[in-house]
Amino acid sequence: MIRTRSALRHGRTAVGVLLAGAGLAACGGAPHQGSAAVVGGAQITIASVESRVAGLRDAVAAESGGEQTTERAGLVRRTVAELVLNQVVDRALADRQLTVTEGEIDEARASEAKLLGGTAELERELLFKQSVPAGDVSAFYRQQLGIQKLAAAQGKDARSAEGDAAIRAALTDAGAKLKIEVNPRYGRWDVQQIGLTNTVSDWLRQPAAGGA
């Protein structure tokens, strides 16, 4: 299965979700109201996170004979981390004028489906081992291929220590530019670690003293 050490260590701990940009809405006058995170001025809504977590748990239950085997609280937090990471990868690619095409995604999916014995087997593997539902498989490959390209652009193999360092540098730089803010119920985005920490920070905008 396509993986990179950087993605495993920092971003995708359990769940892969959504095409880049899905679940985002432009921020209005109160950018944090109803937000799970704000990334580069765009909102990832709590509602979209909850919906995707519910869909994932339902998919696992359907494949497991109706039993809910996934722990919800941690899955919600990992989903937020995954959505943020998608945007960070996209920004890092854009900064380097790199893209992941639909053809590349299709090719990667077909190759791994062949190795596993078919599309159904691939989707089951992703669901149970990577917590990726069928509807989010393209997003999984988009992110993974994008991370690989960040290393390849520097002439590095993503699986090597040098490639890992190149990926980290690119994602750290992109995260800093995006000015990521996460609802403290999920933690805080650590730009250097490229993931969520448990540190709580201010969230809802507070009125200035003596004014609105």
Side-chain angles (χ1 to χ4, degrees), residues 14-15 17 36 46 49-54 56-57 71-83 185-186 196:
V15 60
V17 285
I46 292 173
V49 171
E50 295 285 353
S51 174
R52 284 157 181 79
V53 168
L56 176 59
R57 297 183 80 228
E71 187 273 319
R72 184 181 178 284
L75 188 56
V76 170
R77 189 171 183 271
R78 290 191 294 268
T79 298
V80 173
E82 191 69 15
L83 286 168
R185 73 168 70 175
Y186 311 117
L196 290 176

Side-chain angles (χ1 to χ4, degrees), residues 75-93:
L75 188 56
V76 170
R77 189 171 183 271
R78 290 191 294 268
T79 298
V80 173
E82 191 69 15
L83 286 168
V84 173
L85 181 62
N86 282 345
Q87 303 308 306
V88 174
V89 172
D90 281 354
R91 175 59 186 261
L93 290 171

Side-chain angles (χ1 to χ4, degrees), residues 86-118:
N86 282 345
Q87 303 308 306
V88 174
V89 172
D90 281 354
R91 175 59 186 261
L93 290 171
D95 285 348
R96 289 156 183 78
Q97 298 184 317
L98 299 172
T99 59
V100 176
T101 68
E102 293 299 325
E104 288 169 330
I105 292 171
D106 291 343
E107 182 179 355
R109 290 180 66 167
S111 176
E112 294 196 337
K114 183 177 181 179
L115 288 174
L116 291 170

